[in-house]
Amino acid sequence: MIDLPHFPYHRDPIASDSVRETDTPCDCCGETRGVTYTGNTYCLAKPKTLCPWCIQNGKAENKYDASFFDADFVDDDMNPVDLPPEAHSAVFGRTIGFATFNPIGWWVHCGEPAEYVRRDEPYDMIFECRKCGKQHTIMDLD
């Protein structure tokens, strides 16, 4: 069992195949933690190995000016939602990524970003409001 740091906006990085076991050290912190991130990293430097801890604590975001999603915040109708820079950083810079076909809309409800719960294949991404528990489906069409 892999013991990962908590990601408040991504419920289960193991179930979403966002990590794999490795004995390679993290390019960001140099530590060998036994697991590495498997998704996309949007930055110029392109580190080969990033541990989930450097994503969660913001070290990877700060060191590489990295993001782990090609996404924007949206409401129920897929309209853009403006949130403060702290929300962008927490979700797109300190949340471990998951596979998508295209840039996605990250659902916002009750004034804050929702938590990614799971993908119902092939195209439905399920999000859940962290305040009221309402769930919403975002389509990720290829």
Side-chain angles (χ1 to χ4, degrees), residues 59-124:
K59 285 183 183 177
E61 176 189 28
N62 293 331
K63 182 174 184 173
Y64 301 110
D65 193 23
S67 173
F68 301 96
F69 295 95
D70 187 3
D72 291 304
F73 293 125
V74 298
D75 65 14
D76 291 11
D77 298 317
M78 296 299 290
N79 296 311
V81 174
D82 287 327
L83 291 178
E86 297 80 26
H88 285 263
S89 178
V91 174
F92 305 136
R94 294 191 315 267
T95 297
I96 200 164
F98 50 85
T100 62
F101 293 112
N102 292 296
I104 63 167
W106 194 287
W107 187 50
V108 173
H109 196 259
C110 293
E112 71 173 44
E115 177 185 27
Y116 171 74
V117 177
R118 71 181 181 282
R119 177 182 288 276
D120 285 346
E121 295 298 339
Y123 304 114
D124 295 345

